[in-house]
Amino acid sequence: MKKINLGVLVSGGGSNLQSIIDSIERGRLDAVIRVVISNVPGVRALERSKTHNIPAVLIDPENFSTREEFDREVVAVLKIHCVDLVIMAGFMRILTPVLLKAFPMKIMNIHPALLPSFQGLHVQQKAFDYGVKFSGCTVHFADEGVDTGPIIIQAVVPVYDDDTADALQQRILKEEHRIYPQAIQFYADGRLEIDGRKVHIKDPGTMETPGMHNPPLEKF
Ligand code: GAR
C-alpha cells in the first residue's frame, strides 16, 4: 500500500507528533513524516524529530515581515518534501490563504475541546471554569477561520466534581493521541468524503456507547 507523505507543523512539546511517530513505528499508520516544521526555536517537538531521524526545519517568524511571507516559506518547505497531507500538531498560528490554497482540504488540525464550543486558546481551562460535564478534543480540516473547519473525529471525556484543569487537560491529551492517528489513517485509506461542513467516514465501525451521561443516570 502506498504511504502518504506527512508534513507536521509544531510549536511546542510535540506529544501529538510523538503519537503519530509511534503509530507509524507500530505499523498502524500508513504514512511517512517527510518533514517537521516549527515556528518556535528549541522546542521539544524538534528534538523528538531528530531522535527519530525526521528532517526538522525551524522557520522563525521574526525573519518574515508578513504572515503571508512566512506561509510562503512553509509551503516551499512542504513542497520540497513532497508532502501530501499537512498536520497541525499544536501549531499555534492562524493560517493565511497562501497555505490553505496550496493544500486545499489537505490540512488537519487538532483542538483540545469539543468544537464548536471553546474555540481559541487555553480552552481546557475555559471549559473547566465554565462547568461543563463533558469536554474532549476534535480533529478537523483547517479553513480560514479559527478552529472552524469541517470536523473529522471527536472524542469526549468527562469532567469530574473533584477535577482540576490540569487533570482535565491530561485526560483530553490522552484522547488526542488516539484520534489524530485515526483521522490520518482514515485519510490514508481514502475513507473521508467532504460534503460541505460534513465529513463522512466510509464504513465506520459501530459505536459502543451511543449515549453518555455525567453524572450517571440512576432511575431513568
Ligand atoms: C494540544 O493539546 C493541542 O490540541 C493544542 O496544543 C497542544 C499541543 O500539545 N492545540 C491547540 O490548542 C490549537 N488551537 P503537543 O505539542 O504536546 O502536541
Side-chain angles (χ1 to χ4, degrees):
M1 175 184 277
K2 184 190 171 289
K3 294 176 188 251
I4 55 163
N5 292 337
L6 305 179
V8 185
L9 309 183
V10 297
S11 302
S15 70
N16 276 289
L17 167 67
Q18 190 67 53
S19 76
I20 295 164
I21 293 171
D22 293 345
S23 300
I24 291 171
E25 290 185 352
R26 288 186 195 127
R28 293 189 189 154
L29 185 48
D30 300 315
V32 180
I33 303 177
R34 292 289 174 201
V35 66
V36 170
I37 299 174
S38 174
N39 65 321
V40 182
V43 290
R44 179 129 185 257
L46 286 170
E47 279 169 40
R48 293 183 197 266
S49 318
K50 283 174 195 144
T51 306
H52 293 268
N53 296 315
I54 300 166
V57 177
L58 168 69
I59 304 181
D60 193 335
E62 298 216 340
N63 298 332
F64 301 88
S65 49
T66 64
R67 287 171 51 230
E68 286 75 13
E69 271 180 43
F70 174 90
D71 277 4
R72 248 187 288 284
E73 180 63 15
V74 173
V75 169
V77 172
L78 293 169
K79 296 278 185 195
I80 287 168
H81 289 87
C82 302
V83 165
D84 303 313
L85 180 67
V86 181
I87 301 298
M88 298 167 72
F91 187 62
M92 299 303 190
R93 283 180 72 88
I94 296 166
L95 307 184
T96 70
V98 170
L99 190 38
L100 290 161
K101 282 187 183 142
F103 291 91
M105 286 299 155
K106 290 178 179 171
I107 305 177
M108 287 185 186
N109 182 42
I110 190 153
H111 184 73
L114 287 176
L115 292 173
S117 293
F118 303 109
Q119 298 163 335
L121 294 175
H122 313 300
V123 294
Q124 302 96 328
Q125 183 74 50
K126 285 179 190 160
F128 180 77
D129 292 343
Y130 196 89
V132 295
K133 297 293 185 195
F134 287 106
S135 188
C137 45
T138 304
V139 177
H140 63 94
F141 285 109
D143 67 7
E144 288 183 29
V146 179
D147 306 318
T148 51
I151 292 172
I152 300 164
I153 185 168
Q154 294 186 301
V156 178
V157 303
V159 184
Y160 300 118
D161 252 13
D162 59 352
D163 236 335
T164 62
D166 196 45
L168 176 61
Q169 178 168 352
Q170 291 309 315
R171 197 173 305 125
I172 292 171
L173 198 56
K174 217 170 148 188
E175 290 303 316
E176 292 185 37
H177 299 161
R178 300 175 71 197
I179 66 171
Y180 220 172
Q182 175 68 79
I184 298 166
Q185 185 60 40
F186 281 147
Y187 186 95
D189 284 337
R191 289 174 63 195
L192 298 182
E193 278 176 356
I194 303 167
D195 173 17
R197 277 218 52 84
K198 303 225 173 102
V199 180
H200 301 291
I201 317 287
K202 289 187 213 156
D203 306 320
T206 316
M207 263 186 105
E208 284 165 28
T209 47
M212 284 185 280
H213 311 91
N214 179 31
L217 296 185
E218 293 178 345
K219 290 185 180 166
F220 306 95

